[in-house]
Amino acid sequence: MKKTIIAAAAIASIGALSANAQTVEQPSFGDNWSIGIEGGVTTPMSHNPFFGGMRPVIGLHLGKQLTPVVGVGVEYNAAINTSNWAGRIHSSNAFDQQYLGLYGTADLFNLFGGYQCRVRPFTIEAMIGAGWGHYFYADKVDASNDWNFFATRAGLNFNFNVSEHVTIAIKPYVSWGMGGNFSHSDVGFNINNATFNVLAGVSYRFGDGFKCVRPYDQAEVNALNAQVNQLRGDVDAAVAGLAASQAESAALAAQLADCQNRAPKVVKEVNNNYSSVRFVFFRIGSSKITSDQQPNIEMIADYMKHHPKSKVVIKGYASADGNYDFNVKLAKNRAESVKNALISKYKIPADRITAEGEGIGHMFKEESWNRVSICTLDED
């Protein structure tokens, strides 16, 4: 039995260490107190029938949960005088036994499973206690024959936590009379000086319980500080970029204002060399020279006959209507068409004529005018 007490003490110590290892915020002194009442039965473990010697027990307790594992408290209970033990008659009052003592508990679920930052619906506690026991003697006159003795107890608490604050518990335990008037022979953990007890009760717990907090991690803090510094650098760079953009915007605004305030300037350009350029227009999709365009070609040929050293550069164009590849080919064919007309009809030597296809033309706003061959004469 001494080994049992040592093991219980070890469990309580481990529980205290386990609770301290948890990331649990230390509650205030007023938190995690509980008060409760119990009722049940007690019966001797020897020399009497187990059920025949059974009698009711009532009690109450006041406790304090120090950590999610370890709790302490003070309790009182009394056995109601309804039966005789070992041939003794009833005591002279309603109670024939009472006990007042201290106890300690260890929550086995939180001890071995870790605290889950909430109240579990069901837990099991190991309980040990010690205190003052008293038997009332049957003599109504001489109370000096009452027995006082030192008592210990050990057992389990099966707790059903119906809410964050209310617990219904079933508490089986064994109580030993350790000496004093209780026993005239054996002293210590002896079954002849022991009772078996089962209590059921309800208790109310005050306060908010235990709150979990994140542990302080210097490496994590350093990493976060580095991120903050990086973000500050990004903000500074963004502010500098914004300032540069604002300065550029201001400069552009100043240039715009200068342009808006500047007096308009009219430029007149006079070109007196219109005689060196001739235009040959074509119908859409065609490179055939129509009759109305023949005079333009005749003018080019007449000029070249009167100026034997002159040459002509013919550049063909097409409008943007239709397929691009077709229009590129069409532009070249229009230049070639004018060249062939000068050679075949007007006998202009081919070495004095250059024909080039320029693709899509954008010289004129009127799209149909871009279907043209532009002929530029070299006056030499």
Side-chain angles (χ1 to χ4, degrees):
M1 191 56 66
K2 292 181 179 179
K3 293 181 179 180
T4 302
I5 297 298
I6 294 174
I11 290 175
S13 299
I14 295 173
L17 293 175
S18 175
N20 290 333
Q22 296 283 345
T23 55
V24 177
E25 185 180 33
Q26 185 65 32
S28 65
F29 179 78
D31 288 330
N32 299 323
W33 286 91
S34 64
I35 186 170
I37 57 174
E38 294 92 16
V41 294
T42 180
T43 188
M45 297 189 67
S46 66
H47 303 300
N48 281 272
F50 185 83
F51 292 102
M54 190 174 291
R55 60 193 190 279
V57 176
I58 59 173
L60 56 87
H61 72 269
L62 176 67
K64 166 75 171 175
Q65 196 70 27
L66 301 178
T67 73
V69 175
V70 177
V72 295
V74 58
E75 61 179 337
Y76 172 82
N77 59 50
I80 299 175
N81 186 4
T82 60
S83 61
N84 296 328
W85 285 5
R88 293 188 291 271
I89 63 174
H90 294 292
S91 65
S92 58
N93 52 37
F95 302 101
D96 56 9
Q97 178 189 357
Q98 65 181 1
Y99 169 81
L100 176 65
L102 303 176
Y103 66 85
T105 59
D107 190 310
L108 302 181
F109 282 22
N110 287 341
L111 174 62
F112 296 108
Y115 182 52
Q116 298 180 347
C117 301
R118 60 180 178 82
V119 176
R120 284 184 167 91
F122 174 73
T123 60
I124 298 177
E125 292 177 326
M127 183 275 294
I128 58 173
W132 167 71
H134 182 81
Y135 276 118
F136 295 96
Y137 193 67
D139 191 341
K140 297 181 180 180
V141 178
D142 189 3
S144 63
N145 289 323
D146 292 350
W147 294 349
N148 294 292
F149 57 93
F150 175 66
T152 60
R153 54 183 57 201
L156 296 174
N157 297 338
F158 298 93
N159 298 323
F160 299 88
N161 299 303
V162 297
S163 73
E164 292 286 332
H165 299 283
V166 178
T167 299
I168 297 175
I170 298 175
K171 304 178 179 181
Y173 65 91
V174 177
S175 179
W176 292 271
M178 305 298 294
N181 301 118
F182 187 83
S183 174
H184 299 286
S185 57
D186 298 327
V187 176
F189 295 99
N190 190 314
I191 194 172
N192 296 316
N193 301 332
T195 60
F196 177 76
N197 308 266
V198 177
L199 302 181
V202 60
S203 61
Y204 183 83
R205 183 170 48 257
F206 299 91
D208 297 327
F210 295 96
K211 297 179 180 179
C212 289
V213 295
R214 291 189 62 188
Y216 180 81
D217 187 342
Q218 185 61 48
E220 183 178 3
V221 172
N222 293 340
L224 291 174
N225 284 334
Q227 292 181 15
V228 169
N229 292 332
Q230 181 178 355
L231 291 173
R232 286 174 176 170
D234 294 342
V235 171
D236 292 340
V239 171
L242 177 62
S245 299
Q246 290 175 338
E248 182 179 1
S249 176
L252 292 174
Q255 293 179 12
L256 176 61
D258 181 63
C259 292
Q260 291 174 336
N261 296 328
R262 188 180 303 167
K265 181 179 181 181
V266 179
V267 179
K268 295 183 178 180
E269 183 176 345
V270 178
N271 185 356
N272 294 321
N273 295 323
Y274 292 125
S275 60
S276 64
V277 179
R278 293 291 180 269
F279 300 93
V280 179
F281 294 96
F282 296 86
R283 293 182 178 179
I284 185 170
S286 175
S287 61
K288 182 180 178 180
I289 301 172
T290 58
S291 59
D292 61 320
Q293 297 298 315
Q294 287 292 341
N296 294 329
I297 298 176
E298 185 176 347
M299 291 174 66
I300 297 171
D302 185 65
Y303 180 88
M304 296 184 76
K305 288 179 180 180
H306 288 87
H307 299 82
K309 293 183 179 181
S310 65
K311 295 182 179 181
V312 64
V313 177
I314 305 170
K315 293 186 177 183
Y317 296 90
S319 65
D321 303 299
N323 180 269
Y324 175 80
D325 294 334
F326 174 79
N327 286 335
V328 170
K329 184 177 180 181
L330 181 61
K332 182 174 178 59
N333 290 339
R334 284 170 175 169
E336 292 290 338
S337 181
V338 175
K339 177 181 177 180
N340 292 335
L342 289 172
I343 294 173
S344 62
K345 186 173 183 179
Y346 297 102
K347 309 303 179 183
I348 303 299
D351 59 354
R352 296 174 63 190
I353 305 171
T354 300
E356 301 173 347
E358 296 296 324
I360 307 299
H362 299 286
M363 298 79 64
F364 304 103
K365 291 182 179 180
E366 184 63 37
E367 193 64 41
S368 62
W369 292 12
N370 291 316
R371 304 171 193 138
V372 66
S373 287
I374 300 176
C375 308
T376 304
L377 291 163
D378 180 1
E379 297 181 352
D380 294 336

